[in-house]
Amino acid sequence: MFSVSSQLESVPKSVRRHVSAAALDPSTVARGIKSFDGPVAVVCRRSAGEVGESAPTPNASVVLRFFFGRCRLSVNVGSQWYDCGEAVDGLVHVSRPNQLVRTQWLCDGEELVLTVPHSYWRERVTDGMRAVMTQGKLQRYADPLLKQLVSMLVTSTLEGMHASFAAPLIDTMLARVVDLCIRCAERKAQNPHRNALPAFRVERVANYVREHLSETITLNDMAEAAGMSSMHFAALFREATGLRPHHYLLEQRVLHAKELMTRTPWPLCDIAAGAGFSTQAHFTTVFKRIAGTTPGQWRFSRTP
């Protein structure tokens, strides 16, 4: 059975090492959902500039990290740290047993850390999941159902939902992760020679979008930032990120709007304009579709 805890001290030490930062106030770890034999879910609230403690993934377990905010994620191999890139909403990282992982936060945000022992997976440890763990890369989960499940688990953890609701939610979420890993492995097996957009071009596009979020951004603008024709860019960008360029742009606008709502007292109409939305109504529609709640409700839920 799962039990719900509301204080950092009630989370096992093996999990606490995972989610604590060097100067992290215990109150910033909102809640944890734990069990003695099954998965452990902890939501951490992070501050801009914070560096997460580089603790190893527990033995005989894997850790899935889902991000709500922007941070740089690094993994340790041997004696070297390797930058995995920028982690944002819609990305997940899976770390294998005893792997060191470090996060460096670029803005205020939240991190869902889900520790899953091997004993839980049983026959569900698929070749697809093994492939993701071996790569150690950030993976985009362009899957509306998984996004909804992740958001529900974060909300459940923050609000202290009863354990009877938490256990099946985690089961469903992990089953979806495995299913998506299988599909990803199958697609790569069917198209072993297909080339996605190189990482440096994706980074150019990401930088351009961040720098011009309050402005109108077109497909041609993004393609030009990548140094490619628009039609060629659109196909390869989706292959590399799992998102159409327009969907990626909307996700970045919503992420920026969350930052503005966290850092400023601006009214929602100004937040919408600052994030590049033409009207507040369009902002509300897109925000609710991506975040699962309205901007006003999202801001209120994070008001102390």
Side-chain angles (χ1 to χ4, degrees):
M1 287 294 295
F2 285 78
S3 60
V4 180
S5 64
S6 59
Q7 301 295 329
L8 177 63
E9 287 75 18
S10 62
V11 178
K13 290 182 179 179
S14 60
V15 178
R16 198 185 313 168
R17 286 200 308 270
H18 255 317
V19 300
S20 298
L24 186 64
D25 186 293
S27 64
T28 63
V29 178
R31 288 183 183 270
I33 299 175
K34 69 187 180 98
S35 73
F36 294 106
D37 302 316
V40 179
V42 177
V43 175
C44 289
R45 283 190 167 147
R46 303 296 197 183
S47 301
E50 183 178 329
V51 178
E53 182 182 356
S54 54
T57 301
N59 188 36
S61 299
V62 298
V63 169
L64 291 81
R65 286 178 172 83
F66 298 87
F67 308 93
F68 297 84
R70 292 172 49 220
C71 68
R72 302 295 302 187
L73 186 140
S74 305
V75 298
N76 186 274
V77 179
S79 59
Q80 298 292 321
W81 282 98
Y82 292 89
D83 183 14
C84 296
E86 186 174 314
V88 296
D89 292 15
L91 293 181
V92 59
H93 181 266
V94 183
S95 57
R96 56 184 181 272
N98 302 311
Q99 185 174 53
L100 287 167
V101 179
R102 181 173 64 196
T103 54
Q104 298 172 290
W105 287 80
L106 307 176
C107 69
D108 292 348
E110 293 171 352
E111 179 183 14
L112 170 61
V113 182
L114 188 58
T115 302
V116 188
H118 287 343
S119 58
Y120 169 86
W121 295 106
R122 303 183 184 89
E123 70 279 1
R124 287 176 285 188
V125 179
T126 65
D127 289 339
M129 175 60 78
R130 290 192 183 95
V132 172
M133 287 189 288
T134 301
Q135 292 173 2
K137 298 179 181 178
L138 288 160
Q139 304 287 328
R140 178 166 294 276
Y141 56 101
D143 178 70
L145 177 57
L146 182 56
K147 286 187 177 183
Q148 184 178 9
L149 291 168
V150 171
S151 295
M152 289 173 63
L153 181 56
V154 170
T155 301
S156 300
T157 307
L158 291 175
E159 296 181 351
M161 183 177 288
H162 192 273
S164 61
F165 291 96
L169 176 57
I170 291 176
D171 285 344
T172 304
M173 178 178 156
L174 291 174
R176 189 64 178 176
V177 169
V178 170
D179 183 53
L180 293 174
C181 287
I182 294 173
R183 295 185 193 180
C184 181
E186 289 175 346
R187 285 197 302 269
K188 290 182 178 180
Q190 293 169 1
N191 301 282
H193 302 299
R194 180 161 183 173
N195 295 320
L197 197 65
F200 78 92
R201 295 189 187 276
V202 175
E203 186 66 18
R204 286 181 184 174
V205 175
N207 289 337
Y208 177 85
V209 168
R210 280 195 298 271
E211 292 168 3
H212 298 83
L213 269 176
S214 62
E215 308 167 16
T216 299
I217 299 176
T218 66
L219 176 63
N220 286 337
D221 293 331
M222 297 172 72
E224 186 174 327
M228 303 172 64
S229 68
S230 58
M231 294 305 295
H232 193 209
F233 163 75
L236 293 187
F237 185 85
R238 186 176 183 183
E239 179 70 18
T241 65
L243 292 175
R244 294 183 178 88
H246 182 62
H247 192 173
Y248 171 81
L249 175 59
L250 291 179
E251 285 199 346
Q252 294 305 301
R253 291 196 189 284
V254 168
L255 177 62
H256 186 55
K258 288 180 178 179
E259 292 183 34
L260 292 176
M261 284 191 286
T262 301
R263 293 188 289 104
T264 74
W266 294 357
L268 292 180
C269 59
D270 291 342
I271 297 288
F277 291 95
S278 56
T279 66
Q280 186 176 340
H282 184 223
F283 168 51
T284 300
T285 299
V286 173
F287 191 98
K288 187 173 183 179
R289 185 170 71 241
I290 292 176
T293 186
T294 66
Q297 291 169 337
W298 188 92
R299 173 181 258 180
F300 179 79
S301 69
R302 281 152 179 79
T303 302

